[in-house]
């Protein structure tokens, strides 16, 4: 296995051994998600061999279950007895809530007041206590920290935690199991836990794999921080990719992404909506806004063709927890006559 010096520099946060251990730890609980080729994206859009990694089919409908599970399974019995707490816009919340239910641990989740109703209800459905506090994720995060200090509950951070990153990195190992010679991997980015874990796994195997992070033009704290050379908040407006609505990336994830992610791409709200619509119409995949970010980058042709054309490319569909009312709105907004690409599947 090839390991380059850049990967070694980030091992203090998360390394390939942590990720392999995470896979062993969580394997009996999680679902190995499908990796399917999209002929529509391959033949009609990019000229590459585009594969979709369907984490929208993971338990709780999102990759977040992996990281939350890995973290919580490493807690002491005393920590478990006092309960766990997190802040989340919805997907990490559900991962934490399901893990708490499976392991018999009381879970509390602080969510932004505008968190999607479907994610609030799903989190409650798994048995967690849901507290709505703050306009943004950062507001919820600060309140979570206050509650943790008062109650003694253990914080399970949604992204800035080595065990969480390692759990998300198991996706990278699954990608390599299916396509060992993958050239490019495109990942949605919020706080950075997902791309940090995946990049560590992939770059440890082959440093030449090109890693691309995608964020919304409205909220791209990680991209802005990388550009500035230090953690710098960025928030213009809310985004349909609410699962990635993180204005301030994590300290650990910033360091890993700064070293291992090759480039970042920003997409507009219209481009995200179009990608959601196309994934539904052409690939029969229901995805939330965050899950559609990589596809949005491909459809909008914002990625240099040298990383795509005639390459084996994996675009991660990170989650599928979307309100049906939002799906209906996107369909109504973007509904067009059937295109002329007959005979193309997916």
């Amino acid at each position: 296995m090839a390991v380059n010096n850049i990967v070694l520099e980030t091992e203090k946060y998360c390394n390939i051994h942590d990720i392999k251990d995470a896979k062993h730890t969580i394997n009996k609980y999680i679902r190995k998600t499908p990796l399917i080729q999209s002929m529509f994206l391959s033949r009609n859009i990019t000229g590459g061999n585009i594969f979709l990694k369907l984490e929208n089919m993971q338990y709780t409908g999102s990759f977040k279950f992996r990281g939350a599970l890995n973290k919580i399974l490493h807690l002491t019995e005393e920590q478990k007895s006092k309960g766990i707490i997190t802040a989340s816009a919805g997907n990490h919340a559900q991962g934490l809530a399901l893990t708490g239910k499976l392991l018999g641990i009381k879970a509390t989740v602080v969510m932004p007041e505008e968190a999607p109703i479907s994610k609030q209800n799903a989190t409650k459905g798994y048995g967690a206590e849901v507290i709505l506090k703050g306009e943004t994720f950062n507001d919820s995060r600060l309140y979570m920290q206050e509650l943790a200090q008062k109650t003694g509950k253990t914080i399970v951070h949604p992204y800035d935690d080595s065990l969480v990153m390692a759990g998300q990195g198991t996706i990278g190992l699954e990608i390599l199991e299916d396509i060992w010679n993958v050239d490019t991997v495109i990942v949605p980015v919020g706080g950075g836990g997902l791309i940090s874990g995946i990049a560590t796994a992939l770059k440890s195997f082959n440093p030449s794999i090109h890693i691309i992070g995608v964020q919304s033009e409205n909220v791209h704290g990680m991209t802005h921080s990388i550009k500035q050379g230090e953690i710098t908040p960025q928030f213009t407006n809310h985004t349909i990719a609410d699962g990635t609505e993180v204005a301030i990336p994590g300290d650990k994830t910033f360091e890993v992404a700064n070293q291992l992610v090759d480039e970042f791409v920003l997409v507009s709200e219209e481009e995200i909506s179009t990608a959601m619509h196309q994934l539904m119409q052409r690939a029969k995949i229901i995805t939330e806004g965050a899950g559609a970010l990589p596809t949005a980058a491909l459809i909008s042709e914002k990625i240099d063709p040298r990383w795509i054309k005639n390459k084996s490319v994996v675009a991660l569909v990170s989650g599928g927890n979307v309100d049906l009312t939002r799906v209906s709105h996107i369909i109504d907004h973007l509904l067009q006559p059937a295109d002329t690409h007959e005979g193309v599947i997916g």
Side-chain angles (χ1 to χ4, degrees), residues 26-317:
I26 69 177
N27 195 51
K28 70 176 182 179
Y29 296 96
I30 68 165
R31 173 182 292 153
K32 180 179 179 180
T33 52
L35 186 76
I36 65 169
Q37 185 171 17
S38 170
M39 302 309 294
F40 165 63
L41 290 172
S42 298
R43 295 179 182 177
N44 297 82
I45 301 295
T46 67
N49 297 313
I50 311 299
F51 297 84
L52 300 173
K53 177 65 170 170
L54 301 181
E55 280 295 295
N56 60 316
M57 298 185 68
Q58 185 57 260
Y59 295 118
T60 73
S62 164
F63 75 94
K64 287 283 191 177
F65 180 48
R66 297 175 185 259
L69 179 63
N70 189 50
K71 172 67 176 181
I72 295 166
L73 286 171
H74 281 83
L75 297 181
T76 66
E77 291 304 316
E78 181 180 0
Q79 288 174 317
K80 293 176 183 176
S81 68
K82 292 182 178 180
I84 51 180
I85 188 169
T86 197
S88 169
N91 286 336
H92 179 67
Q94 292 173 67
L96 180 97
L98 177 58
T99 301
K101 184 174 184 178
L102 291 173
L103 302 180
I105 303 171
K106 186 176 180 180
T108 301
V109 179
V110 182
M111 304 180 76
E113 294 166 1
E114 297 300 318
I117 297 298
S118 62
K119 293 183 179 181
Q120 294 182 38
N121 291 339
T123 302
K124 293 175 183 176
Y126 289 125
E129 176 190 9
V130 172
I131 299 172
L132 299 179
K133 184 70 174 182
E135 181 180 354
T136 68
F137 165 77
N138 194 52
D139 296 332
S140 300
R141 179 183 62 83
L142 293 174
Y143 187 66
M144 169 204 66
Q145 292 174 338
E146 291 181 20
L147 287 180
Q149 290 180 343
K150 292 178 181 178
T151 63
K153 296 179 184 293
T154 296
I155 294 174
V156 180
H157 200 284
Y159 49 85
D160 204 33
D161 182 283
S162 296
L163 289 169
V164 171
M165 283 189 273
Q168 322 305 24
T170 59
I171 297 171
L173 298 182
E174 289 185 11
I175 290 172
L176 292 172
E177 287 172 0
D178 291 333
I179 310 178
W180 68 269
N181 60 342
V182 62
D183 296 302
T184 301
V185 178
I186 313 171
V187 183
V189 180
L194 176 62
I195 200 166
S196 295
I198 289 178
T200 298
L202 296 177
K203 293 284 191 178
S204 295
F205 176 76
N206 179 1
S208 68
I209 296 174
H210 196 73
I211 310 294
I212 302 172
V214 188
Q215 295 194 282
S216 164
E217 291 177 353
N218 283 5
V219 187
H220 52 269
M222 179 67 82
T223 302
H224 187 62
S225 296
I226 296 293
K227 184 177 180 180
Q228 296 297 317
E230 61 181 359
I231 294 178
T232 310
Q234 189 285 324
F235 181 95
T236 303
N237 202 349
H238 292 291
T239 172
I240 192 174
D242 54 86
T244 60
E245 194 171 288
V246 180
I248 306 173
D251 295 334
K252 297 175 182 178
T253 58
F254 170 76
E255 293 295 335
V256 177
N258 194 36
Q259 293 289 339
L260 300 185
V261 179
D262 295 290
E263 64 175 302
F264 289 87
V265 173
L266 301 181
V267 292
S268 69
E269 296 301 294
E270 187 76 9
E271 288 164 342
I272 299 169
S273 296
T274 298
M276 293 174 70
H277 181 265
Q278 290 298 311
L279 284 169
M280 284 186 281
Q281 185 176 49
R282 304 308 302 269
K284 315 308 179 218
I285 293 170
I286 301 297
T287 178
E288 60 191 275
L293 286 170
T295 299
L298 288 169
I299 291 176
S300 62
E301 300 182 341
K302 290 189 172 179
I303 299 174
D304 192 319
R306 63 178 167 154
W307 305 119
I308 304 297
K309 192 170 184 178
N310 299 320
K311 303 287 187 180
S312 292
V313 180
V314 173
L316 185 67
V317 180

